[in-house]
Amino acid sequence: MRDSAGFSPDFARGASSDVRPRTTTIAAFVIPGAIVGWVRQRTLGLVVVAAAVAAAVVALLGRRVQPPEVSGTWHPATQRRRP
Amino acid sequence: MRIALDQRSEVGTRAGRILLAERTLELLGLVDQNPSDEDDRLVRVLDLSAYDVLVTDAEDPSDVLAAAAEAGIPAVTWVDRPAAGVQAAVDAAVLVGANLGSAIAPSLAAHEAAGAGEGSPIDIVWTEPGRPLRRGHPSRFPDPVGPLWAAERARSGVVRRFAAPTQGEWAGAVVHVAATEHPRERIVAVADHAAHLEALALAAGALVAVDPAFEELRGVITVDDVAETFLDVVLGLGLEVAEWRSD
């Protein structure tokens, strides 16, 4: 079970009184920091995904679509057909 | 033979070197240029009338064609019918379009068509500089050109002409004849360095124009009028033709 700050009560229970405010202070900085980090990470992820999708679309559009394969090979035309 | 060369690009330079390899060449005159090579046959043109034919790779050859007409000699242009018109000498002809798409490809097609039977559908495809297409008429060129999509340029009866844009230094032409007789189809092609193929076509045009049979022709003509002669000449200059065989 965790308190509203996200820490285990067991951790607070054994702590001295001068420690609790410090823990709260740490939590007050860590949680918003974690949220901001998560948002930033998510934004970064979205940017990375969007860039990858854009690159794939560009590559697909620019790809040279070749005519279908036909079985056969080229050989030197050593003899000309006379009409 | 004496050939006057109006050289404006790499095509003309290469054509000149191909012509210099001909034993029958007496003189290769350069129009408005001093020769840099030490070849006794290479000179600057002083009098066009002293030459058998004028060859030009100019994109707008109107001025030099006028000079050839005034000198009374036949001419060969690399470009197709010039936009500014063609001025031919009264008793000489001007062969236009001595290039890959208008000369080598149709001469191959004319030869194949002659042996394919009446009314056989013929597709002529050649490459041209440009961004490759993503759809159109599927065409397969020999390596290093490879497969390309082509767009139809013209249709005349059973003959369809296509151009396949491609990037890079390689070029080619393919002729597909769906014969009504055996064998059912025949596909022949050429592929090589683009400037070399264009130069071969221009040089072959020059040699065709000094052929005695050419003297009978008048006005503006194309390779379609001298297809078999042109093919013989261009093959003699070293053009290699490939043939497609299905597995």
Side-chain angles (χ1 to χ4, degrees):
Chain A
M1 188 174 173
R2 293 175 183 275
D3 63 7
S4 59
F7 289 95
S8 167
D10 293 336
F11 177 77
R13 196 176 296 132
S16 59
S17 59
D18 60 332
V19 171
R20 182 174 288 273
R22 188 186 296 172
T23 305
T24 308
T25 305
I26 291 172
F29 280 100
V30 167
I31 291 172
I35 293 171
V36 169
W38 178 79
V39 170
R40 281 186 177 172
Q41 199 172 28
R42 191 180 175 196
T43 307
L44 184 64
L46 285 174
V47 169
V48 169
V49 169
V53 169
V57 168
V58 168
L60 194 65
L61 290 176
R63 191 165 62 96
R64 182 179 157 194
V65 181
Q66 293 189 336
E69 287 288 330
V70 181
S71 62
T73 48
W74 289 105
H75 298 269
T78 51
Q79 290 184 333
R80 289 183 61 203
R81 288 196 315 167
R82 280 288 162 196
Chain B
M1 60 184 168
R2 296 168 164 233
I3 297 174
L5 175 64
D6 172 42
Q7 176 259 321
R8 314 265 183 110
S9 68
E10 185 186 0
V11 172
T13 305
R14 286 174 175 265
R17 298 201 180 282
I18 292 169
L19 290 169
L20 282 170
E22 289 297 297
R23 288 183 180 178
T24 54
L25 182 76
E26 298 171 38
L27 213 57
L28 183 64
L30 302 182
V31 177
D32 295 334
Q33 285 188 54
N34 292 315
S36 55
D37 286 13
E38 293 180 3
D39 189 316
D40 294 339
R41 298 171 299 167
L42 206 51
V43 297
R44 183 186 178 100
V45 170
L46 299 176
D47 178 13
L48 260 184
S49 61
Y51 292 83
D52 298 317
V53 62
L54 168 80
V55 184
T56 176
D57 67 346
E59 293 191 8
D60 178 15
S62 53
D63 54 343
V64 75
L65 286 181
E70 191 177 341
I73 62 171
V76 179
T77 71
W78 175 59
V79 293
D80 296 335
R81 189 178 292 268
V86 178
Q87 185 178 350
V90 176
D91 53 354
V94 175
L95 172 62
V96 297
N99 55 56
L100 173 64
S102 300
I104 292 179
S107 68
L108 280 172
H111 179 78
E112 296 301 326
E118 193 72 24
S120 300
I122 300 169
D123 288 341
I124 305 172
V125 191
W126 65 87
T127 59
E128 63 180 19
R131 188 171 184 160
L133 301 176
R134 293 171 50 79
R135 61 182 69 84
H137 179 73
S139 306
R140 184 162 298 277
F141 295 85
D143 289 334
V145 179
L148 290 171
W149 294 107
E152 187 169 340
R153 281 291 170 80
R155 185 184 295 226
S156 173
V158 293
V159 180
R160 297 188 300 173
R161 296 169 191 257
F162 299 86
T166 184
Q167 293 169 325
E169 59 185 351
W170 303 107
V174 178
V175 173
H176 179 275
V177 180
T180 53
E181 301 168 0
H182 186 76
R184 299 295 296 174
E185 71 168 7
R186 183 167 160 86
I187 305 172
V188 294
V190 296
D192 209 323
H193 188 271
H196 177 65
L197 284 176
E198 299 290 354
L200 270 180
L202 186 59
L207 298 180
V208 167
V210 297
D211 190 88
F214 196 85
E215 293 177 6
E216 308 298 322
L217 302 173
R218 297 289 181 271
V220 180
I221 65 167
T222 65
V223 165
D224 291 335
D225 302 312
V226 289
E228 277 295 329
T229 307
F230 182 90
L231 187 58
D232 280 337
V233 170
V234 79
L235 289 174
L237 289 177
L239 180 71
E240 294 186 0
V241 181
E243 173 188 351
W244 177 263
R245 292 180 196 159
S246 300
D247 292 337

